[in-house]
Amino acid sequence: MLEKTYSPDEVEARQYSRWEAADAFSAKFDESKEPFTIMIPPPNVTGSLHMGHALNNTIQDILCRYQRMQGRDVLWQPGTDHAGIATQMVVERQLAAEGIELDRGMPLAPGNTRQIGREEFIERVWKWRAQSGGTILKQLRRLGASCDWQRERFTMDEGLSQAVLKVFVQLYREKLIYRDKRLVNWDPRFHTAISDLEVEQKETDGHLWHFKYPIEGEEGRFITVATTRPETMLGDTAVAVHPDDERYKDLVGKFAVLPLVGRRIPIVADDYADPEQGSGAVKITPAHDFNDFEVGKRHGLEMINVFDRDAHMNDAVPQDYRGLDRFAARKQVVADIEALGLLEKIDPHRHTVPHGDRSGVPIEPYLTDQWYVDAATLARPAIAAVESGKTVFVPKQWEKTYYEWMRNIQPWCISRQLWWGHQVPAWYGPDGAVFVAHDESEAAEQAKTHYGKAVELTRDPDVLDTWFSSALWPFSTLGWPEETPALKRYYPGDVLVTGFDIIFFWVARMMMDGLHFMDGEVPFHTVYIHALVRDEKGQKMSKSKGNVLDPLDLIDKFGADAVRFTLTALAAQGRDIKLSESRIEGYRNFCTKIWNAARFCEMNECRYEPGYDPAANQQRVNRWIVSQLAQTEPKVRKAIEDYRFNEAAQALYQFIWNTYCDWYLEFAKPLFQGDDAAAKAETRATALWVLHKALFLLHPIMPFLTEELWQQSGPGEGGVGENLMTLSDWPAFDAGLIDAEADASLGWVVRLISQIRAVRSEMNVPPGAKIALIVNDASAASKARFADHEALIRTLARVETLVFDQPVPKGSVQDVLDECALVLPLAEVIDLAQERQRLQKEMDKLNGEIVKLDKKLSNEQFLAKAPDDVVAEQRERLADSRQTLSKLQSALDRLASA
RNA sequence: GGGCGAUUAGCUCAGCGGGAGAGCGCUCGCUUCACACGCGAGAGGUCGCUGGUUCAAUCCCAGCAUCGCCCACCA
């Protein structure tokens, strides 16, 4: 006997182990089946499960489970990303707690005990990973994710590292990777370059300082420039004005004397200077501003780098400022300028300041040598693949975002000054010549050819951007560059499921690399972009805001199926999800409801019957519920195939709760308790069969509950398909099971009962008090049509406490439904005035409807232009409304005469 | 500055060229032999505003307003 409520925690652990024991998740390399591939977006190895992951993986799991049930050979490739900066941070922090710091050629910080080198550090990272990395993959199991865990990969794995090497070397040889000295986004906290995408613009309240630079040789004349970063003035090498700016025409070609430094800097004419902005003159710091860099190149200006890698002032600035942190230097510069009487004014100024997305500190444009990918070239085929529909985005609007970025793509800075990651496979000779190779010996050979003798080589210390390896995930995980069976079978992937926040970081780059290295074959045919999960107020969940809902807590509290169903039900396309606990609670109740429906079947001795044939059903209610089920399946199937997961959830919820539980099981009660043995047996078999089919339809969304109930009420231990999941059988229903007659008849009964209930409830008919019912529109046809409902309705009398076929007592009220008249409660148990009011209200509503329809149907344009079926439908509705109105009217008349 | 999206019941959101829907909340009534994580019945909306297209607009188009996001820039 099933317990009274469902206990997810016990069931989930047990069922998950059973599935694993049955090897239900692995890719089967089964040539008789069509493959279906999903590559998991590899979570950071340092990560832990948040709601975004929960949504992302619930959707993937739904697709995988559904496709397995459709007979596909599914590979859901799991794994983690080595997450360069994030991981290095975690381990560095851990080391710091032990008083250990990285040896970066700086003196030991006070309080620390020792420094460690690169090798030892990397060892520590691996050790950390072995102990606590990849927690998130264990957490995914709690969610029910059916990944092929035997194939788990890590972006720093040997195999994946080989792929990275090969890609780097090949792109270098194709001149699609190159080394360049230009301004990069420099993160002074992590001492590394980062890509444009890792820069976050933040609105900040700052100031605009106006400095007066004296003009050389013109005593008392100044040119005013404004800046938000006064410390950079120490690196100024020009002042620019617009060529057409009359105010400064005579100054072009002359020099200003840079205060505090004393450097002569030219005043140049350049379109970049905007006469409308500030004074119209702009200071030029080519080494620390992207625009100024371009100006500097145009005018051959000196590029003076004034920062070290910590963004402290370096030796290029006057003695007084050396070693100062950039913000301290800012204060000092302003104070000194003011002391010189050269500070014109300070305006408050709100502007956006670039910050490192990981470090949170303002980044500095910084002149360094870095490695770049020629993204523009790689982007071309990636754009074309989407244009031609080889890869489609769902929802389609994201294609525009993709195009927008891809068509304006900038060189991708891929080198990072970190230790954790794939080290750049480049070696330098004594004179700085570069040798890019798969390993040191290959590089040495190249060097030998180059120099004519063996030389000592130094490896580039930088590592690659984490996304460089993530970009290869769709094929590196399958064994590339080896020609593995997995690669052959499971590339390209079918669908990539991800959030829009990594379209640029990841999707775009997988497209570029996939097309380039896999013979022009896209990495996936569909990109399904899902919503972001926000809190119930619509705010992004973040630890600092304290509004984070932890999926594991929710799973503990409500069960994985409830969490999954909630996310699915909310996963409408094109909108963010605002998640609240009350919503999950509602779907937890749905789980309980299903559980109790199964319990009810069990109590009524419904048993699994392999030979049951729904087409042979005699009882109309049984034919009806089968018909309803058969109409639900295509809705669910189509919804999943169209990535409209909320619609699938809704169709299932409606069928199971509103149709099966609310109506069918109620109809079944009198049959279960009646004397008709054949009807009873048929109903028992049908009730369970329909429940089972519903469990299958629901399984992709709610795997645990459905599996458990199947095992408790299905064929049982050792039976054929004792596991729902391994049976993997998506229900298919013969079109013949859709029974229009049963649908119409039971639809009528449902409406009839609803009317009776409405009257009883609104009229406050006490429980037990009888109300009378007659079928007064007793045409032979309608009698025949509904003849065999009589027995059914008679049995319902118990529940509804209505008396069938009583004469209408004088003074009773008559309500109407279709061909039937429903006779309302006895006068003594209801308030007649109230009933008159109720009827009047109904009639008012109908009248409004009739006026509208009448107007429409007397419009000749409408009759001429609207499709016939629409016209016919409107006519029918008008007739119906009129009929109902007249019945209500006669009911009201009777009431008046009471 | 460029782009995208949203605006529908108290809240959260579906829907979408011909009858305004769901969940939660609310009100009323139910210890009905699966389930109070339940059952039954209700109340509640000129579908942001203004125009246009159409026989017909919540839905399509244009403009406006408000909110949100992305990209770029900011001396």
Side-chain angles (χ1 to χ4, degrees):
Chain A
M1 178 73 180
L2 293 173
E3 295 297 319
K4 199 163 173 176
T5 52
Y6 169 55
S7 314
D9 45 349
E10 184 271 329
V11 168
E12 288 169 9
R14 179 158 43 79
Q15 293 301 353
Y16 202 87
S17 320
R18 257 182 90 108
W19 291 328
E20 289 201 290
D23 191 26
F25 301 159
S26 63
K28 298 292 191 286
F29 291 82
D30 179 347
E31 294 294 335
S32 71
K33 294 180 171 180
E34 202 185 329
F36 180 84
T37 307
I38 292 189
M39 294 287 164
I40 203 169
N44 285 358
V45 65
T46 55
S48 60
L49 197 73
H50 59 59
M51 286 316 304
H53 294 124
L55 172 65
N56 178 251
N57 289 286
T58 294
I59 290 171
Q60 292 178 75
D61 198 44
I62 289 170
L63 291 170
C64 288
R65 287 175 186 270
Y66 170 78
Q67 293 295 352
R68 283 190 201 101
M69 293 176 85
Q70 289 289 347
R72 305 277 291 268
D73 171 16
V74 171
L75 167 61
W76 184 9
Q77 173 66 53
T80 47
D81 190 286
H82 68 277
I85 293 181
T87 308
Q88 178 145 351
M89 273 171 71
V90 167
V91 178
E92 273 189 50
R93 204 177 306 134
Q94 221 179 34
L95 289 168
E98 300 171 34
I100 300 171
E101 64 178 41
L102 304 197
D103 178 5
R104 288 188 168 113
M106 310 278 268
L108 188 70
N112 280 351
T113 53
R114 70 184 181 103
Q115 295 187 328
I116 61 173
R118 183 173 190 134
E119 257 176 58
E120 192 178 345
F121 174 73
I122 289 170
E123 257 171 55
R124 288 290 298 241
V125 179
W126 281 105
K127 217 167 110 190
W128 170 85
R129 177 182 178 259
Q131 281 166 2
S132 45
T135 310
I136 191 165
L137 296 185
K138 292 183 192 78
Q139 296 172 327
L140 279 179
R141 291 168 164 93
R142 288 287 319 274
L143 189 68
S146 59
C147 304
D148 185 348
W149 299 114
Q150 295 156 35
R151 297 190 55 85
E152 183 187 330
R153 294 292 185 274
F154 180 49
T155 48
M156 285 287 282
D157 275 353
E158 180 56 30
L160 273 64
S161 299
Q162 283 305 316
V164 167
L165 263 183
K166 175 154 170 122
V167 164
F168 188 97
V169 173
Q170 187 178 326
L171 289 177
Y172 177 78
R173 289 178 184 165
E174 292 168 340
K175 305 216 181 324
L176 293 170
I177 280 182
Y178 56 91
R179 195 163 162 79
D180 196 8
K181 182 168 197 143
R182 41 186 279 174
L183 285 186
V184 290
N185 302 299
W186 184 261
D187 187 319
R189 178 160 163 212
F190 294 138
H191 310 121
T192 181
I194 56 179
S195 74
D196 298 345
L197 286 175
E198 291 160 283
V199 175
E200 238 171 38
Q201 302 291 341
K202 288 190 189 169
E203 280 278 323
T204 314
D205 282 316
H207 299 279
L208 199 51
W209 287 273
H210 294 71
F211 294 163
K212 296 192 290 186
Y213 289 1
I215 306 297
E216 185 189 53
E218 298 198 25
E219 195 66 28
R221 197 169 173 200
F222 301 94
I223 189 162
T224 299
V225 295
T227 181
T228 55
R229 293 156 66 216
E231 68 281 7
T232 63
M233 66 81 68
L234 299 171
D236 282 3
T237 55
V239 171
V241 296
H242 196 274
D244 302 334
D245 194 331
E246 295 298 333
R247 295 170 294 178
Y248 300 114
K249 259 203 163 137
D250 68 309
L251 287 179
V252 174
K254 295 189 171 163
F255 288 83
V257 179
L258 190 63
L260 309 180
V261 180
R263 182 162 53 239
R264 282 175 84 232
I265 57 174
I267 296 166
V268 300
D270 194 286
D271 287 345
Y272 168 64
D274 178 359
E276 307 292 314
Q277 283 258 41
S279 66
V282 56
K283 66 193 265 310
I284 300 296
T285 322
H288 294 291
D289 182 283
F290 289 99
N291 288 310
D292 293 4
F293 182 74
E294 296 302 320
V295 176
K297 279 205 294 200
R298 283 199 286 274
H299 296 273
L301 299 175
E302 202 183 341
M303 308 216 174
I304 301 176
N305 179 10
V306 297
F307 293 136
D308 67 17
R309 55 185 205 160
D310 281 317
H312 291 128
M313 308 315 289
N314 66 15
D315 290 352
V317 303
Q319 186 63 48
D320 288 355
Y321 304 99
R322 287 180 197 166
L324 287 181
D325 164 80
R326 54 184 158 161
F327 301 111
R330 176 173 302 177
K331 276 195 184 138
Q332 190 65 46
V333 164
V334 172
D336 292 347
I337 293 268
E338 187 170 21
L340 291 172
L342 297 175
L343 179 61
E344 189 177 291
K345 59 174 174 173
I346 306 174
D347 291 332
H349 185 62
R350 193 164 174 78
H351 61 143
T352 56
V353 177
H355 285 69
D357 65 351
R358 290 259 166 211
S359 66
V361 302
I363 65 106
E364 291 292 341
Y366 195 57
L367 196 58
T368 52
D369 284 306
Q370 303 288 345
W371 290 94
Y372 292 88
V373 168
D374 175 1
T377 301
L378 289 173
R380 254 171 253 131
I383 293 166
V386 175
E387 283 170 339
S388 68
K390 283 205 300 203
T391 293
V392 298
F393 281 70
V394 178
K396 204 159 181 63
Q397 77 219 34
W398 292 110
E399 289 180 5
K400 192 163 178 166
T401 307
Y402 172 86
Y403 289 142
E404 198 55 39
W405 190 69
M406 288 293 246
R407 285 173 183 153
N408 297 298
I409 200 162
Q410 298 299 309
W412 174 18
C413 174
I414 49 171
S415 42
R416 298 287 179 275
Q417 288 66 52
L418 303 171
W419 284 353
W420 176 242
H422 299 102
Q423 195 171 353
V424 173
W427 285 261
Y428 301 102
D431 61 350
V434 187
F435 306 97
V436 169
H438 295 90
D439 54 39
E440 187 159 6
S441 66
E442 192 188 352
E445 268 175 51
Q446 290 175 19
K448 200 170 171 184
T449 312
H450 178 81
Y451 292 108
K453 60 173 183 180
V455 296
E456 189 160 336
L457 295 176
T458 320
R459 183 162 185 180
D460 190 315
D462 289 355
V463 299
L464 293 168
D465 182 2
T466 298
W467 296 102
F468 190 87
S469 52
S470 318
L472 317 180
W473 188 252
F475 49 92
S476 64
T477 51
L478 297 175
W480 187 90
E482 302 296 317
E483 294 254 346
T484 61
L487 185 65
K488 207 167 162 223
R489 181 160 177 80
Y490 297 108
Y491 189 96
D494 286 84
V495 52
L496 179 80
V497 178
T498 190
F500 59 80
D501 49 335
I502 55 172
I503 291 178
F504 305 146
F505 277 113
W506 194 45
V507 179
R509 289 159 178 174
M510 283 190 286
M511 289 293 289
M512 294 193 270
D513 280 343
L515 286 159
H516 193 76
F517 289 95
M518 299 302 294
D519 232 0
E521 188 62 73
V522 292
F524 27 72
H525 298 299
T526 302
V527 180
Y528 176 65
I529 301 289
H530 62 245
L532 240 47
V533 183
R534 299 174 180 278
D535 76 358
E536 53 195 316
K537 294 190 196 95
Q539 303 210 302
K540 208 165 166 172
M541 290 189 187
S542 75
K543 276 182 195 154
S544 56
K545 283 187 206 144
N547 61 349
V548 176
L549 282 177
D550 181 345
L552 295 178
D553 290 348
L554 296 173
I555 289 172
D556 287 340
K557 195 165 166 193
F558 299 109
D561 288 329
V563 172
R564 290 170 60 114
F565 198 92
T566 306
L567 291 170
T568 308
L570 295 176
Q573 289 182 4
R575 210 202 275 232
D576 288 345
I577 292 178
K578 287 183 195 142
L579 188 68
S580 68
E581 279 208 22
S582 69
R583 199 77 195 225
I584 306 173
E585 197 180 337
Y587 291 119
R588 186 271 321 265
N589 297 350
F590 181 45
C591 295
T592 310
K593 187 75 181 177
I594 299 166
W595 184 262
N596 274 288
R599 187 163 175 264
F600 176 76
C601 288
E602 188 183 34
M603 289 169 75
N604 285 286
E605 297 171 46
C606 304
R607 306 216 192 291
Y608 178 73
E609 287 180 32
Y612 167 75
D613 176 12
N617 276 346
Q618 298 298 308
Q619 295 294 315
R620 184 173 268 101
V621 281
N622 290 335
R623 284 191 273 125
W624 171 71
I625 195 62
V626 169
S627 174
Q628 292 292 306
L629 172 69
Q631 290 168 74
T632 301
E633 183 274 331
K635 288 187 206 162
V636 178
R637 171 164 38 91
K638 190 149 192 333
I640 294 177
E641 286 180 354
D642 291 346
Y643 305 97
R644 307 174 83 91
F645 300 103
N646 58 318
E647 288 181 12
Q650 198 192 349
L652 285 162
Y653 187 93
Q654 253 174 24
F655 173 75
I656 294 172
W657 198 317
N658 303 126
T659 305
Y660 183 79
C661 292
D662 285 352
W663 289 105
Y664 175 73
L665 291 184
E666 293 302 327
F667 289 147
K669 281 175 183 174
L671 292 164
F672 284 149
Q673 281 151 28
D675 306 325
D676 185 338
K680 196 186 288 192
E682 179 188 296
T683 306
R684 281 175 172 161
T686 306
L688 192 63
W689 183 84
V690 171
L691 177 69
H692 280 161
K693 295 298 174 190
L695 292 179
F696 276 76
L697 296 178
L698 192 57
H699 180 260
I701 308 178
M702 285 193 176
F704 294 110
L705 173 72
T706 51
E707 181 70 85
E708 176 69 13
L709 288 177
W710 172 252
Q711 281 169 23
Q712 299 249 4
S713 62
E717 290 287 326
V720 177
E722 67 180 71
N723 286 324
L724 190 165
M725 194 182 164
T726 47
L727 189 60
S728 213
D729 190 12
W730 185 261
F733 300 101
D734 192 279
L737 291 175
I738 295 176
D739 188 329
E741 190 276 331
D743 287 347
S745 297
L746 268 294
W748 178 83
V749 172
V750 164
R751 271 174 284 145
L752 172 63
I753 293 172
S754 297
Q755 286 286 331
I756 295 169
R757 288 173 178 170
V759 171
R760 293 185 62 91
S761 178
E762 282 186 50
M763 292 303 99
N764 296 314
V765 178
K770 307 272 185 198
I771 60 170
L773 176 82
I774 59 163
V775 177
N776 76 340
D777 176 33
S779 66
S782 77
K783 274 245 166 181
R785 183 168 163 205
F786 295 116
D788 58 348
H789 284 133
E790 292 179 9
L792 176 60
I793 293 168
R794 224 183 279 279
T795 60
L796 286 169
R798 184 184 59 78
V799 180
E800 304 300 332
T801 55
L802 56 83
V803 173
F804 185 69
D805 215 12
Q806 291 277 306
V808 187
K810 189 173 165 40
S812 72
V813 189
Q814 185 174 312
D815 192 13
V816 185
L817 183 113
D818 288 355
E819 293 85 349
C820 283
L822 166 62
V823 173
L824 295 177
L826 301 169
E828 53 266 31
V829 298
I830 66 162
D831 177 340
L832 294 178
Q834 205 185 335
E835 174 62 4
R836 271 187 222 109
Q837 232 177 37
R838 193 187 74 90
L839 287 173
Q840 195 57 57
K841 195 175 158 193
E842 291 261 317
M843 288 168 68
D844 289 348
K845 220 162 92 184
L846 273 169
N847 268 319
E849 181 86 348
I850 286 166
V851 168
K852 236 169 80 181
L853 287 166
D854 224 11
K855 202 172 148 196
K856 195 182 246 185
L857 283 163
S858 53
N859 180 343
E860 281 177 31
Q861 294 279 6
F862 171 70
L863 295 176
K865 295 191 178 171
D868 291 347
D869 57 324
V870 171
V871 176
E873 194 193 321
Q874 303 291 315
R875 282 218 171 94
E876 201 176 321
R877 274 180 51 206
L878 181 60
D880 285 354
S881 298
R882 284 198 167 126
Q883 197 189 359
T884 309
L885 184 69
S886 84
K887 285 179 181 175
L888 287 173
Q889 186 60 56
S890 74
L892 197 59
D893 291 346
R894 281 169 187 271
L895 207 55
S897 66

